[in-house]
Amino acid sequence: MKITFATAAPEPQPRLQARIVDQAALPSGLGRVVVEGATAARFAGKAAQLFETFVERDGALVRLALVGTGERSGNGRQESLERSGAALVAKYLTSGEERLLLDLNSTAMAGREAASFLLGARLRGWRLDVYRTKLTEEQKPTLKEIIVIGAPPGTDEVWETEAAVAEGVEFTRRLVAEPANTIYPQSFVAQCRERFEGTGAELIVLDEKEMKALGMGALLGVAQGSAKPPRLMAIRWNGGERGQKPVAFVGKGVTFDSGGISIKPAAGMEDMKWDMGGAGAVAGAMLTLARRKARAHVVGICGLVENMPDGNAQRPGDVVTSMSGQTVEVINTDAEGRLVLCDALTWTQREFKPSAIVDLATLTGAIMISLGSEYAGMFSNDDDLAGKLDSAGKTSGDKLWRMPIGAAYDKLLESPIADMKNVGPRFGGSITAAQFIKRFIENGTPWAHLDIAGMVWADKPGTTWDKGATGFGVRLLDRFVRDNLEN
Ligand code: BES
Ligand code: MN
Ligand code: ZN
């Protein structure tokens, strides 16, 4: 969805035109039929409420949409605005109209608010149609452009930042939605190389040989059953002051999780193409930071492997040695995410000496039992970091709920043969997974683990997304950087 700003409506004017109703009363100059029609249709300007009518203006037909944005004050204003912009686009995406004239004259919105509305509109317009060759004319998305006139002062400036956010979210969605025959470790890296070209971000990529030399036995153990070789990628954005330590974002990038020898049931296994949602969010967030030239030093690490069960695959009972030197008894080859993350985390700490670490992973089905698809689970060794992430979650809409960790849970990982097992008992599965990861955090570095298994994929349309990949995490990480690392 292209969004452009203009001082006046282009000629010929787009047939589809929208006005925002952000005050109790309808904008003036709509005419009696529109006003009475809207009232008769019980249109009250509530957030995301729509009213459509046709009017004749200077002899031309105008398809006029009124969009409510709800109460002007109070919490949740930003969410209402995004939801309203999204509702407008959802309604007209396949309407046959290609251009929409959004007339913001006579709204009481600030530039910041207008940008929120536009962000919702743009995000809701994203979908992946490249594999559909048989869409009928009625099914094909038609709406390509929103032309904004009468935008409040400062809108375009805020929009520049928000457009970078949208670009990051869209990149993440694409990576997540693509199937595992197109997105695997090497192609994930290739996509990033292409997208980061010319942004000023630096890409560092380790191949299998280099990882072997570094002793990453845990990550490599997962990869060894797949024909696709693994990669470890760092995307570094250094927009901070010289000598500043980076903050590290580390993502689980299992491009397909069959479970390995502990193979998953067939039903729903196709979902495991999005088991790289953590790495996808990290890559998208880094793209946003680079695009908006964030004044911060951030490094995004993606641990990329495919978990498959071939004749060379690791077996339940195998013991692997991680880069940290700690040994792991692999009880269940389907608990692979933590094995990937532990080596990615050790490398991150040795290589970049980060001041704080946030990892994102579609780590456990258990977190979906706990929190459903409203909140990602957050586990942290540091109240200050957890608090900052929590508020970034509230502001961005990518919400987090803090979960407990502690010694009693950690004890559940004891192994009779190695330093630890890779799984605990069935109950508390998300927590023991977090405890496993915590064992690889060195010197008490502030760390948070976000289990995003319930957030990456949506079975039905949500606020600013269609069903499918949501892009969860990009806005969270961007907001965390904006509020805590810049200025
Ligand atoms: N990728 C899965 C977790 C997952 C499940 C994400 C469903 C999204 C939707 C992870 O690798 C996994 O298989 N976890 C196991 C752990 C168990 C073997 C201890 C799980 O959650 O069942
Ligand atoms: Mn698994
Ligand atoms: Zn997995």
Side-chain angles (χ1 to χ4, degrees):
M1 190 68 55
K2 208 168 109 192
I3 293 179
T4 52
F5 296 91
T7 43
E11 293 296 338
Q13 294 201 1
R15 178 171 51 203
L16 177 60
Q17 308 194 1
R19 303 286 297 262
I20 288 180
V21 180
D22 63 347
Q23 302 168 95
L26 297 178
S28 60
L30 286 178
R32 192 181 74 93
V33 173
V34 174
V35 172
E36 286 184 17
T39 311
R42 293 186 170 172
F43 175 81
K46 289 186 192 144
Q49 197 184 10
L50 286 166
F51 171 71
E52 181 188 61
T53 187
F54 290 84
V55 294
E56 196 185 324
R57 209 181 283 157
D58 302 328
L61 181 72
V62 172
R63 185 172 184 178
L64 179 68
L66 302 181
V67 199
T69 53
E71 298 279 334
R72 285 216 68 225
S73 58
N75 298 338
R77 174 67 175 158
Q78 185 193 321
E79 199 254 13
S80 299
L81 287 162
E82 288 180 14
R83 195 152 51 85
S84 307
L88 178 65
V89 165
K91 172 149 171 94
Y92 291 105
L93 196 57
T94 58
S95 62
E97 310 289 352
E98 290 179 13
R99 298 186 308 160
L100 186 162
L101 181 70
L102 178 64
D103 182 355
L104 296 184
N105 284 301
S106 82
T107 69
M109 283 202 266
R112 150 93 271 139
E113 295 175 294
S116 291
F117 182 92
L118 293 173
L119 180 60
R122 169 150 167 193
L123 289 177
R124 186 60 180 81
W126 186 91
R127 40 185 275 179
L128 183 66
D129 285 320
V130 290
Y131 298 114
R132 300 179 192 274
T133 67
K134 299 205 186 304
L135 287 181
T136 64
E137 283 310 311
E138 287 73 36
Q139 291 170 322
K140 278 187 193 152
T142 53
L143 191 63
K144 304 263 163 8
E145 185 180 10
I146 298 176
I147 303 154
V148 186
I149 58 169
T155 306
D156 45 354
E157 210 172 296
V158 187
W159 176 247
E160 225 177 285
T161 303
E162 298 306 314
V165 171
E167 198 180 332
V169 171
E170 288 168 357
F171 183 44
T172 299
R173 287 180 182 172
R174 180 72 195 256
L175 290 168
V176 167
E178 282 283 345
N181 58 336
T182 65
I183 288 292
Y184 43 90
Q186 283 168 299
S187 66
F188 188 109
V189 169
Q191 290 297 321
C192 289
R193 283 206 193 282
E194 202 182 306
R195 289 304 289 266
F196 282 90
E197 172 112 31
T199 60
E202 177 195 1
L203 264 61
I204 303 160
V205 182
L206 302 189
D207 65 16
E208 210 168 353
K209 237 178 82 196
E210 293 164 300
M211 288 191 266
K212 209 166 270 170
L214 288 165
M216 298 189 184
L219 185 153
L220 291 169
V222 176
Q224 78 188 32
S226 167
K228 308 274 191 219
R231 292 288 183 268
L232 185 59
M233 175 174 65
I235 305 164
R236 180 183 210 142
W237 171 254
N238 194 350
E241 281 153 31
R242 273 182 73 89
Q244 197 180 47
K245 281 183 173 182
V247 164
F249 299 144
V250 182
K252 167 180 172 180
V254 175
T255 57
F256 188 74
D257 180 13
S258 69
I261 295 299
S262 312
I263 198 162
K264 287 182 180 295
M269 203 202 274
E270 68 280 5
D271 280 350
M272 287 300 105
K273 73 172 183 182
W274 49 261
D275 206 18
M276 35 56 69
V282 167
M286 294 309 298
L287 183 63
T288 294
L289 297 179
R291 279 273 182 253
R292 67 174 185 78
K293 307 240 171 293
R295 290 183 308 278
H297 188 186
V298 184
V299 46
I301 287 88
C302 300
L304 302 163
V305 305
E306 187 183 55
N307 187 23
M308 295 289 271
D310 80 356
N312 192 46
Q314 72 178 343
R315 294 144 292 252
D318 282 6
V319 175
V320 295
T321 302
S322 67
M323 182 180 171
S324 71
Q326 299 180 87
T327 58
V328 182
E329 182 188 10
V330 180
I331 299 294
N332 189 321
T333 66
D334 196 13
E336 84 297 338
R338 59 201 79 179
L339 297 169
V340 174
L341 281 174
C342 71
D343 279 339
L345 284 164
T346 300
W347 182 70
T348 299
Q349 292 168 93
R350 306 274 165 91
E351 188 74 15
F352 299 106
K353 318 240 170 326
S355 57
I357 303 171
V358 182
D359 78 70
L360 295 90
T362 49
L363 206 63
T364 66
I367 201 69
M368 300 163 80
I369 305 293
S370 305
L371 300 174
S373 292
E374 286 301 316
Y375 292 85
M378 169 167 63
F379 304 81
S380 181
N381 63 358
D382 188 279
D383 291 346
D384 180 56
L385 177 63
K388 288 170 172 167
L389 285 164
D390 185 61
S391 71
K394 286 196 176 99
T395 311
S396 67
D398 287 349
K399 292 178 292 178
L400 306 174
W401 194 266
R402 190 157 179 193
M403 303 279 290
I405 51 174
Y409 293 111
D410 184 71
K411 207 168 156 9
L412 301 171
L413 292 172
E414 280 174 10
S415 157
I417 183 171
D419 296 338
M420 69 196 87
K421 303 187 288 189
N422 76 328
V423 294
R426 197 161 85 85
F427 295 137
S430 305
I431 309 176
T432 44
Q435 294 293 162
F436 181 96
I437 295 169
K438 184 172 181 291
R439 289 183 176 219
F440 296 84
I441 301 301
E442 298 167 359
N443 311 316
T445 303
W447 154 79
H449 156 61
L450 311 180
D451 194 334
I452 63 172
M455 310 307 291
V456 162
W457 196 260
D459 297 329
K460 50 180 172 31
T463 5
T464 54
W465 55 87
D466 201 346
K467 55 181 184 299
T470 62
F472 183 91
V474 174
R475 301 186 61 187
L476 171 78
L477 297 179
D478 174 66
R479 178 47 67 184
F480 172 77
V481 171
R482 273 201 235 181
D483 289 353
N484 299 289
L485 307 181
E486 297 185 82
N487 301 315

